[in-house]
Amino acid sequence: MNELEHDYKTVLLADHDGPCISLYQPTHRTFPDRKQDPIRFGNLLKEVRASLGRQYGDRDIDALLRPFRALEDDAQFWNHTLDGIAVFATPELFKVYNLQRTVKERAIVAGSFHTKPLMRILQSADRFNVLGISRHSATLFEGNRYALDEVTLSADFPVDLEDVILADRDDPERTKRAHGPTGSGQTTRHGMNVRRELTENETRQFFRAVDEAVARTYSKPSGMPLVLAALPEHHHMFRDVSDNPALMAQAVDVDPASVTAGDLRARAWDIVLPRYLERLDTLTEQFGTSQANDRGSADLTEIGKAASAGRIATLLIDADRVVPGRFDPETGHITFARLEDPDVDDLLDDLGEHTLRIGGEVVIVPPERMPSETGIAAIYRF
């Protein structure tokens, strides 16, 4: 998911030369349900081809669809999907993302990518990471209240002790640090004491490298809380070397390899839940104070004007609410429409996406925790 986290603003919200193809599809984790997924994907490709023919008849449609066809035939891919996929393509770009939440089937060809379904996934307040670590290996998971999945780590991530030790092998100071000085007046240490010190130093070095990689590549870009999952004897050393502010004080006292993903998710969610509820309570309180001081609103018409003026600091959106209509980012004008109209977007998603573009924060909130009846609540900068 980290790749999606990074790409959402820098790639998917950026300007591209069209046609821009956006495809969303729910998928299945288990057999035999997942057998239908490539078939449904092929049906969506027919919609894409038809739309390309109508809008871009002079383009090489077969060339545009070639990477889609390759994905359709990739049995390995379809055997390892999660709850949904999002696929984006232009003549110069092809991106595929596995999603931990289901999405509605959609195939859209336009001058820009259709990214609104991703906003509700990426900005949900219940997301978290779990770092499983031992003396010799590290595994990172991403989850929410419903699911937990292992993250595919980048090639330079220090997934095991050897990655770090081999990288440090040519350090001329390493031997001196491990064995201590020798010569006149010094005693050279041997045997178990040296081995014990080497083991502790190497473990500390490994933990520090993992902590730095997780903070830089995952915690900082996403802002998600991080739960440590490790045997109790490893907790103190990891916390001693960690500088990651996302690391939570409580931890899961277990080797992740010894439990199921469902069990690990449940244990981690028990730790994250109080923080999640506290954050929602804080946002609700901030909204109430802001609204009382005319620096917040739950009125869509007022919020549209505030969004256009760049006034929104934080926007809370009901996770289940849809308000059909159009938002003009230049004027802030809101136009309501009928839910049955297939060509009308969701106003809440439009306002949320615009808020992200101008540097504001969007938080997707479950209906029972929303501080307004309109499905939206804005806290203004000024």
Side-chain angles (χ1 to χ4, degrees):
M1 181 65 78
N2 175 68
E3 184 182 7
L4 176 56
E5 200 90 43
H6 174 270
D7 288 353
Y8 181 67
K9 290 183 180 180
T10 61
V11 177
L12 302 180
L13 293 186
D15 294 328
H16 296 279
D17 293 331
C20 295
I21 303 170
S22 307
L23 186 152
Y24 292 89
Q25 178 188 330
T27 54
H28 301 82
R29 294 171 179 256
T30 58
F31 182 86
D33 291 337
R34 64 182 176 221
K35 289 182 65 177
Q36 65 183 283
D37 294 341
I39 299 172
R40 296 171 70 177
F41 184 78
N43 291 334
L44 286 171
L45 289 190
K46 293 177 183 177
E47 295 183 27
V48 172
R49 174 177 280 279
S51 186
L52 285 169
R54 290 192 300 270
Q55 301 180 53
Y56 300 91
D58 58 339
R59 301 299 293 259
D60 187 346
I61 295 177
D62 287 336
L64 283 168
L65 293 184
R66 192 168 295 126
F68 286 92
R69 294 300 183 192
L71 185 66
E72 182 183 16
D73 295 335
D74 187 347
Q76 184 75 2
F77 170 79
W78 295 106
N79 284 336
H80 295 88
T81 55
L82 302 178
D83 304 301
I85 59 170
V87 186
F88 302 94
T90 71
E92 308 298 329
L93 175 149
F94 186 73
K95 290 278 189 177
V96 183
Y97 305 100
N98 271 310
L99 308 175
Q100 282 186 307
R101 296 179 191 265
T102 190
V103 287
K104 293 183 179 180
E105 282 190 3
R106 297 200 71 174
I108 300 171
V109 177
S112 60
F113 289 132
H114 178 74
T115 62
K116 296 179 181 67
L118 298 180
M119 185 195 69
R120 294 201 177 230
I121 294 173
L122 293 176
Q123 307 307 129
S124 291
D126 63 349
R127 299 167 64 217
F128 60 91
N129 282 129
V130 175
L131 174 62
I133 197 163
S134 68
R135 287 187 181 273
H136 301 286
S137 64
T139 310
L140 189 68
F141 302 86
E142 181 176 322
N144 54 53
R145 71 176 85 179
Y146 305 112
L148 184 74
D149 297 289
E150 186 173 341
V151 174
T152 301
L153 301 169
S154 58
D156 60 347
F157 192 96
V159 294
D160 58 51
L161 178 65
E162 287 301 313
D163 289 340
V164 177
I165 300 306
L166 288 175
D168 193 50
R169 179 168 288 174
D170 294 330
D171 182 356
E173 293 296 313
R174 183 170 180 270
T175 302
K176 185 184 297 183
R177 291 197 305 268
H179 296 283
T182 61
S184 177
Q186 303 293 335
T187 300
T188 304
R189 289 169 285 141
H190 297 287
M192 292 300 295
N193 288 338
V194 172
R195 184 63 254 168
R196 187 178 300 110
E197 184 176 338
L198 275 171
T199 299
E200 290 180 359
N201 287 342
E202 290 173 348
T203 302
R204 183 177 294 271
Q205 184 182 1
F206 173 53
F207 283 5
R208 182 178 291 111
V210 170
D211 178 70
E212 291 173 354
V214 170
R216 178 182 66 254
T217 314
Y218 297 94
S219 298
K220 186 176 180 181
S222 71
M224 289 189 285
L226 177 67
V227 178
L228 180 65
L231 294 175
E233 58 263 32
H234 298 148
H235 290 193
H236 176 74
M237 181 181 292
F238 186 85
R239 293 185 185 280
D240 189 45
V241 302
S242 176
D243 292 320
N244 189 344
L247 182 64
M248 299 191 68
Q250 290 179 279
V252 179
D253 296 333
V254 68
D255 179 357
S258 68
V259 297
T260 65
D263 188 17
L264 185 60
R265 181 209 58 79
R267 297 191 192 197
W269 180 243
D270 284 343
I271 293 172
V272 174
L273 179 59
R275 173 170 168 167
Y276 164 75
L277 295 176
E278 181 181 1
R279 184 188 183 202
L280 294 184
D281 287 343
T282 298
L283 289 170
T284 298
E285 184 177 343
Q286 288 176 351
F287 169 70
T289 301
S290 298
Q291 188 178 38
N293 294 316
D294 293 325
R295 295 185 60 176
S297 178
D299 182 271
L300 272 163
T301 301
E302 293 179 6
I303 292 173
K305 295 176 182 177
S308 177
R311 294 177 59 200
I312 297 180
T314 303
L315 194 65
L316 311 182
I317 295 178
D318 187 320
D320 294 344
R321 185 73 67 89
V322 173
V323 179
R326 293 184 177 89
F327 162 65
D328 185 337
E330 297 296 325
T331 65
H333 182 67
I334 293 289
T335 303
F336 295 96
R338 295 182 306 159
L339 186 62
E340 295 80 10
D341 189 340
D343 296 323
V344 173
D345 282 332
D346 175 21
L347 275 174
L348 305 186
D349 284 351
D350 282 349
L351 289 166
E353 188 174 88
H354 181 75
T355 298
L356 290 173
R357 286 180 184 272
I358 62 174
E361 178 187 24
V362 176
V363 182
I364 305 300
V365 180
E368 67 272 14
R369 309 293 299 190
M370 272 299 297
S372 74
E373 298 295 326
T374 61
I376 195 166
I379 301 172
Y380 300 154
R381 291 190 175 100
F382 54 90

